[in-house]
Amino acid sequence: MSLKAVRVIEIPDATGSAFDHGVFDAKSRRVFIAHTARSTIEVIDHDAGRHIATLPGFPGAAGAVSDDGEILVTNRGSASLAWLDASTLQTKAVLKTGPRPNGAAIVKSLSLGIAACIGDERHPPTLQAFHLNDGSGKTMNLPGRPRWCVTDAAAERLFLCIREPSLILVTSLPDLSPIAQWRLPSGGAHGLDIDHAAGRLYAACDDGALVEVDSRSGEVTNVWPIAGPPDVTFFNPATGLVHVAIGEPGLVETVDPRTGQGMQTTTGAGAHTTVLVPPDQLYVISPAHSGILVLSDT
């Protein structure tokens, strides 16, 4: 297995800046990146390999998720969730959330948007599910600070990393009924992704471990050491590899769950967020590269 640098895509005003979660939308063939420091969304045309738009008006943008041409952005600075059209780049709606929304998910078939909110001194951390068409929804309190979340293939369950106590919270969809809390053997559950075919979750933890969990039972099936506190985590179904971005010292830790083999690819200081573009590319958002370091995942 190997990750090889293939090109750099420049983003305006990116040098030394701060970014967070991004996503590839397969329908539009575009990549949407939360540019947290500038309160914008950066849009990349993947096939052309170039930056095509900077969308303003996303205060403290913390993350972006997609489903078949629909984009959700969590705006940590304005306690809101923005719903975008990936083709027109127009904002369809903005929904109020709890303070400091962080992790997010979207299910187009259910017209459902999800925001996991950190809260503040007056408001506890919460998980919220919205019907995007009318803004109605449900809220549940969380046992700790939320990180990232994913859904299962059938969009019947949501899995959410909680920092402390370090666990994966499981709820039903769309009603957010609690199902389980699966404690992890490493502190600070953070980045999360899922292998739908094998029924495995991959949770990267701040204490320096990548934890594999059975998505049906919650059983911990493997633990691998990683080089430092992680952030964005992606499972690539095309290669079977898990990629974990680590901002300091600036690398991507890659693990093959089938063999336990690991590899480190140097990126750049502060490059803590990535975007998987199936089947074979990983975008590393790197302020040191003034934008995106594109790696081939082969």
Side-chain angles (χ1 to χ4, degrees):
M1 61 181 181
S2 64
L3 292 176
K4 297 180 179 179
V6 294
R7 66 179 181 277
V8 171
I9 301 173
E10 292 190 0
I11 295 175
D13 207 18
T15 304
S17 193
F19 297 85
D20 214 324
H21 279 263
V23 68
F24 172 68
D25 174 61
K27 184 176 182 179
S28 65
R29 304 287 298 170
R30 292 171 170 173
V31 174
F32 296 79
I33 301 165
H35 196 159
T36 309
R38 312 294 184 223
S39 293
T40 61
I41 295 296
E42 306 294 346
V43 186
I44 308 298
D45 182 323
H46 170 66
D47 294 333
R50 63 184 180 88
H51 177 271
I52 59 170
T54 294
L55 308 180
F58 300 87
V65 291
S66 76
D67 187 5
D68 192 36
E70 309 289 343
I71 310 295
L72 289 186
V73 179
T74 49
N75 298 319
R76 197 175 296 172
S78 61
S80 65
L81 188 68
W83 177 23
L84 310 181
D85 185 298
S87 296
T88 67
L89 304 183
Q90 297 301 304
T91 298
K92 302 169 74 169
V94 177
L95 306 173
K96 292 300 293 181
T97 68
R100 299 194 292 167
N102 191 31
I106 181 172
V107 182
K108 182 177 180 177
S109 62
L110 300 176
S111 188
L112 186 71
I114 296 158
C117 304
I118 295 169
D120 57 21
E121 62 277 1
R122 294 182 300 153
H123 301 88
T126 57
L127 181 65
Q128 297 179 287
F130 297 92
H131 293 286
L132 294 174
N133 291 328
D134 63 13
S136 64
K138 295 189 176 182
T139 299
M140 69 175 290
N141 288 342
L142 295 173
R145 177 177 177 146
R147 264 29 201 286
W148 204 242
C149 58
V150 295
T151 67
D152 65 5
E156 295 174 346
R157 294 182 299 162
L158 178 84
F159 306 95
L160 171 66
C161 276
I162 301 294
R163 184 177 71 177
E164 195 63 41
S166 184
L167 57 84
I168 296 174
L169 176 77
V170 189
T171 73
S172 65
L173 292 176
D175 60 356
L176 299 186
S177 296
I179 295 175
Q181 294 185 19
W182 297 333
R183 292 293 186 110
L184 299 180
S186 183
H190 199 158
L192 185 68
D193 206 359
I194 186 169
D195 176 354
H196 293 295
R200 292 291 186 267
L201 291 159
Y202 295 98
C205 299
D206 292 342
D207 283 356
L210 176 66
V211 182
E212 181 187 70
V213 178
D214 188 302
S215 66
R216 295 161 291 236
S217 68
E219 176 189 1
V220 173
T221 51
N222 248 315
V223 180
W224 300 279
I226 56 177
D231 201 328
V232 178
T233 301
F234 278 108
F235 169 77
N236 187 347
T239 62
L241 303 178
V242 182
H243 303 295
V244 181
I246 298 173
E248 299 299 334
L251 58 87
V252 171
E253 185 107 32
T254 300
V255 174
D256 187 337
R258 297 159 296 194
T259 65
Q261 181 182 0
M263 176 188 69
Q264 295 179 355
T265 303
T266 300
T267 54
H272 66 95
T273 186
T274 59
V275 178
L276 179 69
V277 182
D280 60 359
Q281 292 199 347
L282 188 71
Y283 281 29
V284 179
I285 319 307
S286 174
H289 290 83
S290 300
I292 300 165
L293 174 64
V294 182
L295 302 178
S296 171
D297 181 7
T298 58

